[in-house]
Amino acid sequence: MKFGKLYRATIDARMPQWDAHMVHYKNLKRAIQQALEARAADPSRPAEQLLEHFTQLLDVEVARVNDFYMDRIEEGVIILTALQQQGEVILATTAARSGVSLAEQRHKCKQSLVTFHLNLLILQNFVALNFMAIAKILKKWDKRTQLPLRTEYIGAIVELPFYQCQSLGQLVEGVESAFAVLDKNPAPSQSHTNACHLSAHGSEQWTTSQQLQQPQQHATHTIS
């Protein structure tokens, strides 16, 4: 399957709600064709003009992806802090009293952590898929126009937050740590907690849209 079709299918299956924030790969392919046609119509047209125009189009795409990523990170920090505080309250209450209602609160908090973790995995996929689209379109540009751009452009965007993903990695670690704290301090009632065990290995199976739908119905914290 060609990358364009695979790219479209992956968006539709895993992150349709974020479609508007993805790299518009098809539009960039069309821009390459238009550049070729413009050069054919006017061979004297400076190559720098074609490069500048295409670079500007790419800049818009990259900025949209990076801005969306940063918004999700800011939102994620707020969500994680709230869940950590909720977990601390539950643990403090556990030391003072026990009961089914407390076990249910613990279960809901853990379930929210699981769902948030799944959303972070989707954000990781979002980053990887968009960077792949950028790399692919730059390779296509270099090959079809014979105007080198790929190496220089990728060398510039690797400094952007969405590429480095440091904050996203910290959020993932924070969620896993918060879950581990709740999991190591079981409530007196164990009727629900074992069903929500979170691990890096087990969470990978939740990256498809069908598997993600059911837990999201019960979640109290999600990335929009």
Side-chain angles (χ1 to χ4, degrees):
M1 183 183 295
K2 290 186 177 181
F3 176 76
K5 292 183 178 180
L6 179 62
Y7 180 70
R8 181 73 262 163
T10 304
I11 294 172
D12 292 342
R14 297 191 177 185
M15 54 195 80
Q17 72 277 22
W18 293 350
D19 189 8
H21 310 285
M22 305 292 293
V23 167
H24 295 163
Y25 185 79
K26 189 174 182 179
N27 290 348
L28 291 173
K29 280 184 62 178
R30 188 179 299 116
I32 293 176
Q33 182 60 35
Q34 291 171 347
L36 292 172
E37 293 172 356
R39 188 163 62 174
D42 182 9
S44 64
R45 184 174 182 177
E48 289 76 11
Q49 289 185 4
L50 298 175
L51 276 168
E52 182 180 1
H53 178 67
F54 189 71
T55 300
Q56 289 174 350
L57 294 177
L58 273 175
D59 288 346
V60 171
E61 299 294 319
V62 170
R64 183 174 60 252
V65 171
N66 192 64
D67 289 347
F68 180 78
Y69 169 81
M70 292 301 298
D71 287 345
R72 300 287 73 73
I73 291 299
E74 291 178 8
E75 185 178 274
V77 170
I78 295 172
I79 292 173
L80 178 58
T81 300
L83 288 172
Q84 288 173 329
Q85 292 174 347
Q86 183 180 350
E88 291 172 359
V89 170
I90 291 172
L91 290 177
T93 307
T94 301
R97 65 180 178 85
S98 63
V100 175
S101 61
L102 188 60
E104 291 176 351
Q105 291 177 30
R106 178 190 293 264
H107 167 64
K108 289 180 180 179
C109 185
K110 291 173 69 176
Q111 193 172 42
S112 292
L113 285 166
V114 169
T115 302
F116 183 42
H117 189 270
L118 299 178
N119 278 276
L120 293 176
L121 292 181
I122 294 177
L123 187 57
Q124 287 180 331
N125 289 337
F126 170 87
V127 170
L129 190 60
N130 277 288
F131 182 78
M132 187 179 299
I134 294 167
K136 288 284 187 179
I137 204 67
L138 283 167
K139 182 179 179 180
K140 188 178 292 291
W141 168 269
D142 284 8
K143 181 179 180 180
R144 298 197 63 190
T145 67
Q146 296 299 307
L147 300 174
L149 178 61
R150 182 173 182 266
T151 301
E152 179 182 355
Y153 198 88
I154 289 182
I157 66 174
V158 295
E159 301 299 325
L160 294 176
F162 96 91
Y163 177 83
Q164 295 188 357
C165 269
Q166 293 178 349
S167 298
L168 179 54
Q170 292 170 355
L171 281 175
V172 171
E173 291 177 0
V175 172
E176 293 173 351
S177 176
F179 189 96
V181 170
L182 285 173
D183 211 34
K184 289 179 181 178
N185 295 274
S189 174
Q190 298 291 325
S191 58
H192 299 292
T193 54
N194 290 336
C196 296
H197 182 65
L198 174 65
S199 67
H201 175 72
S203 61
E204 291 177 357
Q205 64 182 320
W206 293 94
T207 56
T208 64
S209 59
Q210 288 183 344
Q211 290 170 320
L212 191 57
Q213 285 173 359
Q214 185 173 356
Q216 280 186 327
Q217 291 173 356
H218 304 288
T220 56
H221 299 277
T222 59
I223 295 179
S224 60

